[in-house]
Amino acid sequence: TTGTIATDPEKHDVEYLTPISVGTPSQDLMVDFDTGSSDLWVFSTEMSTSDIKGQTVYDPNNSSTSEKVQGSTWKITYGDGSSSSGDVYLDTVTIGDLTVPNQAVEAAKKVSSEFTDDSHNDGLLGLGFSAINAVEPTPQNTFFDNIKGSLDAPLFTVDLKHGTPGSFNFGYIDPAAYIGNISWTPVDSSQGYWGFTSPGYAVGTGAFRNHSISGIADTGTTLLLLPKSVVSAYYKEIQGAQYDSDQGGYIFPCSPTPPDFVFGVNKGIVTVPGDMVSYAPADSANQNCFGGIQTDTGIGFSIFGDVALKTSFVHLHGSIVPGYYADCA
Ligand SMILES: Cc1nn(C)c(C)c1CC(=O)Nc1ccccn1
């Protein structure tokens, strides 16, 4: 079997929302497919109404196939400080034509304000490695781990686009989704992420600079978070670029378009066009833009988030031992 599902960007491509169906009869939710985490959690009827602002909630009592996992709970704090927690049900989850009959669905009882204020987002679907699933006492499998064995190939691909629908495909590589060659790189899944090391980068049309950058492919993070040395080398090339502590990042005049940012994936390269580095207007006053490239200070690794992924076709291969392989084209 194979599957495909469309994923839609929110304003400024801040996140990409994808439809899933949970329970019987099916309850349709829009969730954030997140390769940087490994829990499927959803807003639920177990939350206090003050934490819900527009989201669609999962009601396990309204599903004839839901089954409470007695004694299991979960709590997650993401790197940006947002958090959520609750308890656990097994229920039918369908993505496109793919169904997992007994998927762990983590029902939220509490969510932090970042999630409450994100009115179109009904939860997260983790596509990281199940080793970092947050359910206690027994960690649960991700949707991908549960469906992997029945896919034609144990892989999924990520094709996020700028300002227009993209897709997550399961079990096949769509040759129409990319041009040129696919470049492969070994994946370090030891921390539970789709980790890889980029061999270097270039700014605009400048020479490629060898500089190992270890990071994760993370569809659940908006920006491209890189080492300070790389980020300052990039913004050095933009007249008027500066770090603005109020905004918490580098801003620069929205025009002219800034230089492209190129990073290596094994022998290949991925180019982030300059007009995608201008992530969003920073202030209406003097037409400054907030940069889509910011530092990874304090994280411990770089994060190749949506700004990096939407310019390429990323294929995450969950099979070959010893490592996993991913490629961007
Ligand atoms: C690890 C990390 N540190 N910092 C500063 C950031 C922004 C991250 C990435 C992160 O938090 N991603 C996320 C947030 C919510 C839901 C899903 N993914």
Side-chain angles (χ1 to χ4, degrees), residues 44-52 108-110:
S44 83
T45 46
E46 298 178 347
M47 292 170 60
S48 80
T49 50
S50 59
D51 277 359
I52 302 168
K109 298 173 91 164
K110 287 184 183 166

PDB file of all heavy atoms in Angstrom, residues 44-52 108-110:
ATOM      1  N   SER A  44      -8.823  17.809  23.061  1.00  0.00           N
ATOM      2  CA  SER A  44      -9.866  16.819  23.368  1.00  0.00           C
ATOM      3  C   SER A  44     -10.916  17.401  24.298  1.00  0.00           C
ATOM      4  O   SER A  44     -10.734  18.472  24.899  1.00  0.00           O
ATOM      5  CB  SER A  44      -9.234  15.587  24.028  1.00  0.00           C
ATOM      6  OG  SER A  44      -9.065  15.825  25.422  1.00  0.00           O
ATOM      7  N   THR A  45     -11.991  16.634  24.443  1.00  0.00           N
ATOM      8  CA  THR A  45     -13.096  17.026  25.345  1.00  0.00           C
ATOM      9  C   THR A  45     -12.658  16.966  26.807  1.00  0.00           C
ATOM     10  O   THR A  45     -13.405  17.394  27.686  1.00  0.00           O
ATOM     11  CB  THR A  45     -14.279  16.054  25.152  1.00  0.00           C
ATOM     12  OG1 THR A  45     -13.775  14.707  25.135  1.00  0.00           O
ATOM     13  CG2 THR A  45     -15.009  16.337  23.843  1.00  0.00           C
ATOM     14  N   GLU A  46     -11.446  16.465  27.050  1.00  0.00           N
ATOM     15  CA  GLU A  46     -10.956  16.383  28.443  1.00  0.00           C
ATOM     16  C   GLU A  46     -10.283  17.674  28.885  1.00  0.00           C
ATOM     17  O   GLU A  46      -9.864  17.798  30.033  1.00  0.00           O
ATOM     18  CB  GLU A  46      -9.984  15.198  28.573  1.00  0.00           C
ATOM     19  CG  GLU A  46     -10.648  13.860  28.277  1.00  0.00           C
ATOM     20  CD  GLU A  46      -9.686  12.671  28.360  1.00  0.00           C
ATOM     21  OE1 GLU A  46      -8.451  12.915  28.401  1.00  0.00           O
ATOM     22  OE2 GLU A  46     -10.161  11.531  28.385  1.00  0.00           O
ATOM     23  N   MET A  47     -10.185  18.639  27.976  1.00  0.00           N
ATOM     24  CA  MET A  47      -9.550  19.914  28.302  1.00  0.00           C
ATOM     25  C   MET A  47     -10.568  20.870  28.918  1.00  0.00           C
ATOM     26  O   MET A  47     -11.766  20.741  28.699  1.00  0.00           O
ATOM     27  CB  MET A  47      -8.988  20.551  27.023  1.00  0.00           C
ATOM     28  CG  MET A  47      -7.823  19.815  26.424  1.00  0.00           C
ATOM     29  SD  MET A  47      -7.408  20.437  24.776  1.00  0.00           S
ATOM     30  CE  MET A  47      -7.027  22.129  25.145  1.00  0.00           C
ATOM     31  N   SER A  48     -10.047  21.860  29.668  1.00  0.00           N
ATOM     32  CA  SER A  48     -10.963  22.910  30.137  1.00  0.00           C
ATOM     33  C   SER A  48     -11.231  23.848  28.958  1.00  0.00           C
ATOM     34  O   SER A  48     -10.337  24.126  28.153  1.00  0.00           O
ATOM     35  CB  SER A  48     -10.347  23.669  31.312  1.00  0.00           C
ATOM     36  OG  SER A  48      -9.424  24.605  30.830  1.00  0.00           O
ATOM     37  N   THR A  49     -12.452  24.311  28.849  1.00  0.00           N
ATOM     38  CA  THR A  49     -12.842  25.090  27.666  1.00  0.00           C
ATOM     39  C   THR A  49     -12.007  26.372  27.534  1.00  0.00           C
ATOM     40  O   THR A  49     -11.845  26.886  26.430  1.00  0.00           O
ATOM     41  CB  THR A  49     -14.338  25.471  27.743  1.00  0.00           C
ATOM     42  OG1 THR A  49     -14.582  26.036  29.029  1.00  0.00           O
ATOM     43  CG2 THR A  49     -15.211  24.238  27.558  1.00  0.00           C
ATOM     44  N   SER A  50     -11.432  26.844  28.651  1.00  0.00           N
ATOM     45  CA  SER A  50     -10.635  28.085  28.547  1.00  0.00           C
ATOM     46  C   SER A  50      -9.355  27.846  27.754  1.00  0.00           C
ATOM     47  O   SER A  50      -8.737  28.796  27.273  1.00  0.00           O
ATOM     48  CB  SER A  50     -10.285  28.594  29.953  1.00  0.00           C
ATOM     49  OG  SER A  50      -9.559  27.596  30.649  1.00  0.00           O
ATOM     50  N   ASP A  51      -8.951  26.590  27.577  1.00  0.00           N
ATOM     51  CA  ASP A  51      -7.727  26.298  26.813  1.00  0.00           C
ATOM     52  C   ASP A  51      -8.034  26.057  25.332  1.00  0.00           C
ATOM     53  O   ASP A  51      -7.136  25.775  24.545  1.00  0.00           O
ATOM     54  CB  ASP A  51      -7.017  25.065  27.387  1.00  0.00           C
ATOM     55  CG  ASP A  51      -6.135  25.426  28.586  1.00  0.00           C
ATOM     56  OD1 ASP A  51      -6.079  26.629  28.923  1.00  0.00           O
ATOM     57  OD2 ASP A  51      -5.540  24.515  29.184  1.00  0.00           O
ATOM     58  N   ILE A  52      -9.327  26.091  24.971  1.00  0.00           N
ATOM     59  CA  ILE A  52      -9.724  25.819  23.580  1.00  0.00           C
ATOM     60  C   ILE A  52     -10.207  27.120  22.957  1.00  0.00           C
ATOM     61  O   ILE A  52     -11.111  27.774  23.504  1.00  0.00           O
ATOM     62  CB  ILE A  52     -10.855  24.762  23.540  1.00  0.00           C
ATOM     63  CG1 ILE A  52     -10.396  23.458  24.217  1.00  0.00           C
ATOM     64  CG2 ILE A  52     -11.297  24.488  22.104  1.00  0.00           C
ATOM     65  CD1 ILE A  52     -11.526  22.465  24.473  1.00  0.00           C
ATOM     66  N   ALA A 108      -5.306  15.492  24.868  1.00  0.00           N
ATOM     67  CA  ALA A 108      -4.804  16.563  25.741  1.00  0.00           C
ATOM     68  C   ALA A 108      -5.820  16.867  26.844  1.00  0.00           C
ATOM     69  O   ALA A 108      -7.033  16.870  26.615  1.00  0.00           O
ATOM     70  CB  ALA A 108      -4.524  17.814  24.936  1.00  0.00           C
ATOM     71  N   LYS A 109      -5.267  17.091  28.045  1.00  0.00           N
ATOM     72  CA  LYS A 109      -6.072  17.654  29.150  1.00  0.00           C
ATOM     73  C   LYS A 109      -5.648  19.103  29.378  1.00  0.00           C
ATOM     74  O   LYS A 109      -6.432  19.938  29.787  1.00  0.00           O
ATOM     75  CB  LYS A 109      -5.877  16.823  30.424  1.00  0.00           C
ATOM     76  CG  LYS A 109      -6.349  15.375  30.268  1.00  0.00           C
ATOM     77  CD  LYS A 109      -5.998  14.529  31.482  1.00  0.00           C
ATOM     78  CE  LYS A 109      -7.113  14.532  32.508  1.00  0.00           C
ATOM     79  NZ  LYS A 109      -6.928  13.418  33.495  1.00  0.00           N
ATOM     80  N   LYS A 110      -4.364  19.371  29.088  1.00  0.00           N
ATOM     81  CA  LYS A 110      -3.811  20.730  29.225  1.00  0.00           C
ATOM     82  C   LYS A 110      -2.943  21.025  28.012  1.00  0.00           C
ATOM     83  O   LYS A 110      -2.237  20.143  27.529  1.00  0.00           O
ATOM     84  CB  LYS A 110      -2.927  20.825  30.477  1.00  0.00           C
ATOM     85  CG  LYS A 110      -3.670  20.829  31.801  1.00  0.00           C
ATOM     86  CD  LYS A 110      -2.671  21.038  32.938  1.00  0.00           C
ATOM     87  CE  LYS A 110      -3.328  20.993  34.301  1.00  0.00           C
ATOM     88  NZ  LYS A 110      -2.288  20.857  35.369  1.00  0.00           N
TER      89      LYS A 110
END
